[in-house]
């Protein structure tokens, strides 16, 4: 059991939840990013900085994540890859990705990318996702607790 975090875009509040859980449970937690991530000096919590580049952090996570590990990411293609390798994927909004929903999520992502490109080409910018809500944080924490309890 190991928790891997796609840390380049992981919200600070989610990092804090993960660190508290790792301290409490002693589960190994590793943040992987293309920039420095400060973590507490605790043996089971680590930060790995990879070179900058397209999908470098994602590829490192795919290489390291094992069956039954938890990967925290909002990157749908990364989630699909780690699920194919037997890991579990959870977004920072508390969306659990699994074999039953990942293909649908990939299709929706591709559709939304096409829509964004169309809007941008017409001079419209729709902005990014909404801020993380309290409900999102609670949903994330609930799934994390279920994983740590062995019920995911």
């Amino acid at each position: 059991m190991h928790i891997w975090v796609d840390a380049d875009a992981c919200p600070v509040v989610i990092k804090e939840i993960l660190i508290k859980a790792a301290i409490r449970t002693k589960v190994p937690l590793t943040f992987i990013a293309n920039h420095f991530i400060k973590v507490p000096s605790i043996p089971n919590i680590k930060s790995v900085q990879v070179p900058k580049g397209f999908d470098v952090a994602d590829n490192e996570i795919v290489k390291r994540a094992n069956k039954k590990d938890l990967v925290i990411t909002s990157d749908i293609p990364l989630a699909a890859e780690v699920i194919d390798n037997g890991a579990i994927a959870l977004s920072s909004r508390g969306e659990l990705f699994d074999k039953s929903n990942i293909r649908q999520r990939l299709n929706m992502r591709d559709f939304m990318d096409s829509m964004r490109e169309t809007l941008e080409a017409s001079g419209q910018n729709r902005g990014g996702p909404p801020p993380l809500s309290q409900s999102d944080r609670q949903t994330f924490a609930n799934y994390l607790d279920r994983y740590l309890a062995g019920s995911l």
Side-chain angles (χ1 to χ4, degrees), residues 61-134:
I61 292 169
V62 170
K63 183 170 72 174
R64 292 175 179 236
N66 294 308
K67 192 172 191 168
K68 301 294 183 186
D69 285 352
L70 178 63
V71 175
I72 309 302
T73 185
S74 293
D75 183 316
I76 307 295
L78 171 57
E81 281 192 77
V82 298
I83 289 168
D84 285 345
N85 292 341
I88 300 164
L90 180 65
S91 81
S92 56
R93 294 187 179 278
E95 299 165 292
L96 183 65
F97 304 119
D98 59 25
K99 287 189 182 285
S100 71
N101 68 13
I102 195 63
R103 297 297 160 220
Q104 177 187 10
R105 296 300 308 255
L106 278 167
N107 289 338
M108 181 59 78
R109 174 195 170 271
D110 292 344
F111 172 74
M112 295 305 288
D113 278 351
S114 296
M115 292 297 294
R116 271 190 293 278
E117 287 173 11
T118 301
L119 287 171
E120 288 172 5
S122 68
Q124 299 177 35
N125 185 349
R126 305 298 294 169
L132 208 59
S133 71
Q134 185 60 40

